[in-house]
Amino acid sequence: IQDDTLHEIIARADVVIANAGISMGFAARACPNAKVVLDTHEYLTRGAFDRTRAAANRKAFPDFGTLRRHVELENRLWRAADVCTSVSFSEAARIRRHAPATLMVFPQPYVRPWTDPGEGAEWDLLIVADQHFFNIQSVAWFLKEVVSPNPALRALRIAIVGQVRRHLESKWAGRLPNVKWRGFVRDLDETRNRSRMAVCPDLGGTGVSVKAL
């Protein structure tokens, strides 16, 4: 944190929430006296295997020793937190063996109730995805394997919202002109209520997709 005043204010925090294990180091440096809540998001070691499974001739770890060190490092991150949160029962069971305390978190829907726009819908399908590896992979699969081969689906008006646009728009804009890459939208509920259906392609990752919940 380069701003001295901001650094001083943040250092006074009583509680800091670390967004995934890779943020633990920054949280500890920025808020040295705070209690740390680690929002685990996913089991990182398992995620490394899932990412490389989709790529030919690649290994998640070069040898067993590297894998063992990665597992131990992740266990140490869990132990370093005062509380770890998870949305997955299976991951929580693993984390609980190492963390001082583990809390299951069930996301509450924040969207307003959907209203069917009927014939006046602006979009036939809505997809929401950020630029996480598994989202990029899943949206690309959906466009290639589901939409492209089907003339009826190619004719649908499809809106894709989120930063996945940065990775896929240039590859698909010419091939599927009815797919519109919206990027960031200020009111996702408004876009959702102008869509006849929301689709959540989800091929990989650990636990349950939060956006599906």
Side-chain angles (χ1 to χ4, degrees):
I1 302 174
Q2 306 203 351
D3 185 286
D4 292 338
T5 302
L6 181 60
H7 182 275
E8 182 179 343
I9 293 172
I10 292 175
R12 298 175 189 169
D14 295 318
V15 177
V16 58
I17 300 176
N19 184 24
I22 58 175
S23 302
M24 283 290 290
F26 174 77
R29 291 192 302 271
C31 310
N33 300 315
K35 297 290 187 181
V36 179
V37 177
L38 171 56
D39 184 5
T40 58
H41 283 286
E42 64 175 342
Y43 180 26
L44 298 176
T45 306
R46 169 67 185 276
F49 279 108
D50 286 344
R51 282 190 291 274
T52 54
R53 185 183 302 159
N57 301 319
R58 286 184 58 193
K59 289 184 176 181
F61 301 96
D63 51 56
F64 181 76
T66 304
L67 167 61
R68 185 172 58 187
R69 289 191 293 272
H70 194 281
V71 170
E72 177 55 29
L73 174 59
E74 189 159 18
N75 293 344
R76 288 172 59 189
L77 291 174
W78 295 336
R79 287 195 295 268
D82 294 282
V83 179
C84 290
T85 66
S86 177
V87 297
S88 165
F89 282 108
S90 61
E91 290 180 17
R94 178 182 294 274
I95 294 168
R96 193 171 288 118
R97 295 199 291 266
H98 305 278
T102 305
L103 178 67
M104 288 295 301
V105 176
F106 297 96
Q108 295 294 318
Y110 64 89
V111 293
R112 297 185 293 271
W114 175 69
T115 302
D116 187 349
E119 295 299 323
E122 181 177 2
W123 309 105
D124 297 305
L125 292 182
L126 169 65
I127 298 173
V128 179
D130 67 12
Q131 53 188 337
H132 187 279
F133 171 85
F134 290 122
N135 288 330
I136 298 169
Q137 179 190 53
S138 298
V139 173
W141 170 86
F142 183 76
L143 295 178
K144 179 181 179 181
E145 302 295 338
V146 179
V147 176
S148 293
N150 190 310
L153 294 182
R154 287 202 306 270
L156 296 180
R157 299 161 299 172
I158 301 175
I160 300 182
V161 170
Q163 296 305 321
V164 70
R165 171 184 187 176
R166 296 182 179 181
H167 300 267
L168 296 180
E169 182 179 19
S170 61
K171 300 176 183 178
W172 287 97
R175 298 162 66 181
L176 293 174
N178 279 1
V179 174
K180 303 303 179 185
W181 301 85
R182 303 293 308 282
F184 171 80
V185 297
R186 187 169 297 278
D187 189 340
L188 184 57
D189 283 347
E190 181 182 351
T191 304
R192 181 170 168 262
N193 283 330
R194 296 203 304 268
S195 308
R196 296 177 61 195
M197 180 183 296
V199 178
C200 180
D202 195 6
L203 289 181
T206 61
V208 179
S209 172
V210 174
K211 60 181 176 289
L213 293 176

